[in-house]
Amino acid sequence: MLTKIIRAADEKGIEAAAKLSAKVIRRGGLVALPTETVYGLGANALDKEAVNKIFAAKGRPQDNPLIVHVSGIEMAKNLLADIPPLAYKLSEKFWPGPLTMIMQKRDVIPDTVSAGLDTIGVRMPKSAAFLRTIEESGVPIAAPSANTSGKPSPTTAQHVYDDLNGKIDLIVDGGSCSVGIESTVVDITGDIPVILRPGAITPSDIASVAGAAEVSQNVLKEAEEGKAPPSPGMKYKHYSPSADVILVQGSDDGFKRFISSIDNNTAVVCFSEDAGRIKHDCFVLGDKHNHAMQAARLFDILREIDKCGYKNAYIRLPDMDGIGLALYNRLIRAASFRVIDCDKVIN
Ligand code: TXA
Ligand code: MG
């Protein structure tokens, strides 16, 4: 299949891209669309056949449900069996934006979308090209991240092209994604909201609206074998470059000392503050305390490591406050839960 690319740089471009995307969506095709988090691979959420094509193009396990993108809470109402009052409050505060809410679904949503669960995640994305595509097509759009399953999520149209050229109909190029990591996923079907995947909207952001918020145990830990995690996505190895990743925690001096002992065939990912202090070539994740900057660069760096042909990578671990929790959640999976303490290794 020929994959077309259309740029959506200004208002005119966005309009043209949305018209074309809507046409493809309506006839059951696949379109990669920019969002503020990562690029999504969209199909008509009400069309089972179209949704099946998403799983095939990504090589995604059939038991991992998709997020349904809507133009607002009004559209979401038609897809949901039960909308808790909290959904209105959270959507008012955080939509359009990087928040996905898990709620009970109605039958109009095919089981393929929810992977057989009786709930779905719904989100209103911020990107104009995506929102206009939903409006033009008149249907909700199911969209997982537009990467090959298991690879780092795509934050540019080039990343999508690298993974899915020839497998999808259209890529809308809306530039780099500003947030850079996937939305916060929160289950609001119970009394207290439970965060299943941390993102740019933090647990304290949710608690500021809901009064309280829990973070699922599985966010930081490896899923236990034989036990179903609360979100199917938690079981899969995610966000991984081909290179073998090990996370490094510890002091600035310990990091400098540790890096001085490793060879040049190993990639190093560090903070801006480290870059001037170490002799090794490095990828700069961002300023030590600027988690938003680190999030925006993370997936691009993971892909660059592979492009440069590195077989191994050491990545300095950011602290866990605020968006740091989301970074930790992605990094710990990219590293298959391997962390070393640079203050304790003896060179
Ligand atoms: O920012 C984002 O959320 C991006 C953009 C495109 O919107 N989408 C995205 O989708 O990251 P995806 O499919 O890569 O990740 C969706 C995650 C998966 O871990 C999945 O298991 C979980 O959300 N999920 C979806 N529906 C669920 C449900 N009903 N119950 C529990 N977890 C669910
Ligand atoms: Mg994904």
Side-chain angles (χ1 to χ4, degrees):
M1 161 190 315
L2 182 75
T3 301
K4 257 183 112 165
I5 302 171
I6 183 166
R7 274 177 53 83
D10 52 15
E11 232 169 274
K12 249 176 97 184
I14 288 169
E15 233 10 72
K19 287 226 156 71
L20 184 58
S21 304
K23 219 188 250 174
V24 177
I25 295 280
R26 290 204 67 91
R27 52 151 229 266
L30 299 184
V31 185
L33 289 156
T35 85
E36 76 283 26
T37 58
V38 301
Y39 275 72
L41 181 59
N44 179 354
L46 308 178
D47 176 346
K48 200 172 84 188
E49 304 302 320
V51 169
N52 269 326
K53 292 182 194 165
I54 294 180
F55 287 88
K58 277 181 63 87
R60 183 178 177 99
Q62 210 76 34
D63 67 349
N64 196 5
L66 309 178
I67 292 172
V68 178
H69 296 72
V70 293
S71 56
I73 198 79
E74 282 305 311
M75 183 182 246
K77 272 186 196 166
N78 303 324
L79 315 174
L80 298 165
D82 180 40
I83 309 191
L86 183 58
Y88 293 98
K89 288 194 205 156
L90 286 172
S91 66
E92 176 114 345
K93 178 98 189 248
F94 298 116
W95 278 9
L99 181 70
T100 297
M101 296 187 283
I102 307 285
M103 289 176 268
Q104 299 293 333
K105 80 173 185 80
R106 281 198 204 180
D107 289 343
V108 281
I109 296 290
D111 282 344
T112 352
V113 173
S114 63
L117 300 175
D118 53 11
T119 55
I120 47 162
V122 288
R123 154 166 137 82
M124 179 189 185
K126 211 173 205 163
S127 114
F130 204 138
L131 285 175
R132 287 289 299 123
T133 300
I134 300 174
E135 282 162 11
E136 280 287 327
S137 63
V139 294
I141 295 181
S145 48
N147 52 311
T148 298
S149 222
K151 289 265 165 221
S153 291
T155 54
T156 65
Q158 182 68 47
H159 295 164
V160 179
Y161 182 86
D162 290 345
D163 280 13
L164 300 175
N165 180 36
K167 296 181 174 170
I168 64 178
D169 299 281
L170 179 66
I171 299 172
V172 176
D173 183 353
S176 296
C177 303
S178 56
V179 175
I181 49 171
E182 309 88 340
S183 63
T184 304
V185 176
V186 62
D187 182 341
I188 56 167
T189 56
D191 291 338
I192 296 175
V194 181
I195 291 165
L196 303 181
R197 181 176 72 183
I201 292 174
T202 64
S204 59
D205 291 334
I206 304 282
S208 74
V209 174
E214 274 173 17
V215 178
S216 166
Q217 288 275 316
N218 295 65
V219 161
L220 302 178
K221 285 196 327 206
E222 210 161 351
E224 276 175 56
E225 212 155 306
K227 212 170 144 193
S231 180
M234 289 168 168
K235 328 194 258 273
Y236 297 108
K237 190 177 172 191
H238 259 297
Y239 324 112
S240 310
S242 304
D244 219 30
V245 174
I246 295 180
L247 304 182
V248 185
Q249 67 178 21
S251 67
D252 293 343
D253 286 341
F255 185 72
K256 183 181 170 185
R257 212 175 319 118
F258 175 71
I259 294 304
S260 71
S261 72
I262 64 165
D263 64 60
N264 253 315
N265 299 321
T266 299
V268 171
V269 181
C270 64
F271 304 133
S272 322
E273 292 86 342
D274 299 317
R277 303 178 72 227
I278 59 179
K279 292 212 178 71
H280 203 285
D281 291 339
C282 52
F283 296 92
V284 174
L285 190 56
D287 299 351
K288 189 173 183 180
H289 297 292
N290 189 340
H291 292 323
M293 184 191 250
Q294 295 162 9
R297 292 185 184 172
L298 176 65
F299 289 139
D300 186 56
I301 289 178
L302 294 184
R303 283 173 178 263
E304 276 301 310
I305 287 172
D306 279 349
K307 268 200 181 152
C308 296
Y310 288 108
K311 297 280 172 282
N312 298 287
Y314 285 113
I315 303 184
R316 192 161 183 204
L317 194 56
D319 62 47
M320 261 196 262
D321 57 72
I323 306 174
L325 181 69
L327 285 155
Y328 182 85
N329 171 264
R330 309 311 192 267
L331 281 167
I332 198 77
R333 282 166 175 78
S336 301
F337 295 86
R338 282 173 306 176
V339 184
I340 57 171
D341 187 331
C342 57
D343 295 311
K344 292 194 182 132
V345 261
I346 301 155
N347 297 325

